Amino acid sequence: MNKKIVIPIDFSDTSRNALHYALSFLGKDKSDIYLLNAFEPPHMGTGMLISINDILEKESKSALNQEINKLKEANKINGYHFETISENGNLVGSLKKWSKKIKFDYVMLGTNGATGIKGALFGSNASEVIDCAEIPVMTIPAEAKFNGLNKILFAYDGLSFSTQKPVEELKFLKEEFGAEIHVLHIDTPANHEHKNAIQKNLTDLKNKLKLEDSHFHKEYYESAIEGIHDFTLKSPNFDLVCMVPRKKTFIFKFSKTKAISIGTKIPLWTLRD
């Protein structure tokens, strides 16, 4: 069965770069790709609003089809099946609505990331999508270029998974791309009461992924975010950073107004448990 991938498009260079990155990432895998444009009309009188909505929807559909035609001209279709979605509303609400209808497997989203993990994107679409989505989300910085996945960093809080989904995703990346998986655990004061359980979970993960000792990294910080930020700055050769957000105890917790940015060129994939 084909994977169903939704890629939000607002016709900016950032969203177009995310689209091209996604196509390179997916390679020759048969996928159904949904290009989603969410548009919001200006505030006007009721009668005028209906007319403006119709105009914006028509323009949105036309522009999305033009994006597909450009891909065809550049021979970047690769057998993908494309669908377009023009939705009157904000991005998060549109994704929620269509995710219920279509059951997407992934969201792949362009973002104008701030420099470093400490950079906060206030009010960003990316942070809200990560916060609300129930499926994996890949946020792709404007400067990111896909050159394969050679080294992947999994930032892991050491807590137990309720399912094997995160491990299976990491196994897939390792096998599909021949990637070298590294695991980073930030030891914070808040972790000390769970020290034994965390060590057991780290060992279990190492065995499941068949990782070498040299691919496990432990750093000591007051804040996990500070630790990940510093690690990605001093070890910048990772092609992808993965995390598992947790609603209650997630040490890299997202809010609706903030998002973590891992460098300016490294995509972030939030997996789901």
Side-chain angles (χ1 to χ4, degrees), residues 129-143:
V129 170
I130 290 170
D131 196 47
C132 297
E134 296 180 358
I135 57 176
V137 177
M138 182 183 287
T139 52
I140 303 164
E143 296 183 22

Side-chain angles (χ1 to χ4, degrees), residues 26-181:
L26 294 169
K28 296 181 180 179
D29 288 346
K30 291 183 178 180
S31 301
D32 296 332
I33 297 177
Y34 294 79
L35 302 185
L36 168 65
N37 175 240
F39 60 89
E40 295 185 85
H43 295 289
M44 291 183 166
T46 307
M48 181 66 74
L49 184 60
I50 295 173
S51 176
I52 291 294
N53 284 346
D54 291 342
I55 292 171
L56 291 177
E57 183 176 1
K58 184 177 180 180
E59 290 180 346
S60 172
K61 289 179 178 179
S62 175
L64 287 173
N65 285 325
Q66 286 179 33
E67 294 296 323
I68 295 174
N69 288 334
K70 289 177 185 177
L71 293 174
K72 289 179 179 178
E73 292 171 3
N75 294 318
K76 291 189 175 182
I77 295 297
N78 289 337
Y80 302 125
H81 175 71
F82 282 89
E83 296 281 352
T84 63
I85 301 172
S86 296
E87 181 68 22
N88 180 354
N90 62 49
L91 177 59
V92 173
S94 300
L95 279 171
K96 282 183 176 180
K97 172 183 174 180
W98 284 93
S99 292
K100 290 178 181 178
K101 290 184 177 182
I102 297 177
K103 306 297 182 186
F104 299 123
D105 293 291
Y106 305 128
V107 180
M108 304 186 79
L109 173 71
T111 180
N112 290 303
T115 302
I117 192 172
K118 290 184 292 186
L121 308 181
F122 290 96
S124 73
N125 280 329
S127 65
E128 291 193 53
V129 170
I130 290 170
D131 196 47
C132 297
E134 296 180 358
I135 57 176
V137 177
M138 182 183 287
T139 52
I140 303 164
E143 296 183 22
K145 303 298 177 188
F146 185 82
N147 295 305
L149 295 182
N150 299 309
K151 288 181 69 177
I152 297 171
L153 180 67
F154 178 49
Y156 179 38
D157 58 9
L159 300 181
S160 299
F161 300 129
S162 60
T163 72
Q164 289 302 304
K165 288 180 181 178
V167 175
E168 294 304 318
E169 288 283 3
L170 291 169
K171 283 182 178 179
F172 167 78
L173 293 172
K174 182 180 180 182
E175 295 168 4
E176 180 74 8
F177 296 96
E180 187 176 283
I181 304 287

Side-chain angles (χ1 to χ4, degrees), residues 137-252:
V137 177
M138 182 183 287
T139 52
I140 303 164
E143 296 183 22
K145 303 298 177 188
F146 185 82
N147 295 305
L149 295 182
N150 299 309
K151 288 181 69 177
I152 297 171
L153 180 67
F154 178 49
Y156 179 38
D157 58 9
L159 300 181
S160 299
F161 300 129
S162 60
T163 72
Q164 289 302 304
K165 288 180 181 178
V167 175
E168 294 304 318
E169 288 283 3
L170 291 169
K171 283 182 178 179
F172 167 78
L173 293 172
K174 182 180 180 182
E175 295 168 4
E176 180 74 8
F177 296 96
E180 187 176 283
I181 304 287
H182 288 248
V183 175
L184 171 65
H185 174 66
I186 304 299
D187 191 1
T188 68
N191 291 339
H192 291 172
E193 61 181 297
H194 306 294
K195 186 175 181 179
N196 292 336
I198 287 174
Q199 186 55 53
K200 178 182 181 301
N201 291 334
L202 288 169
T203 301
D204 288 345
L205 182 64
K206 174 187 172 183
N207 293 335
K208 287 175 181 177
L209 294 178
K210 300 179 180 179
L211 301 182
E212 301 174 12
D213 288 341
S214 60
H215 292 179
F216 265 77
H217 311 273
K218 181 182 285 189
E219 302 282 339
Y220 298 89
Y221 278 84
E222 288 291 320
S223 160
I225 292 176
E226 292 284 344
I228 302 166
H229 169 80
D230 287 356
F231 188 86
T232 55
L233 288 182
K234 70 183 181 183
S235 306
N237 296 323
F238 289 102
D239 301 300
L240 181 67
V241 173
C242 299
M243 297 179 182
V244 178
R246 303 179 193 267
K247 291 295 183 183
K248 294 182 179 179
T249 58
F250 185 42
I251 57 174
F252 323 113

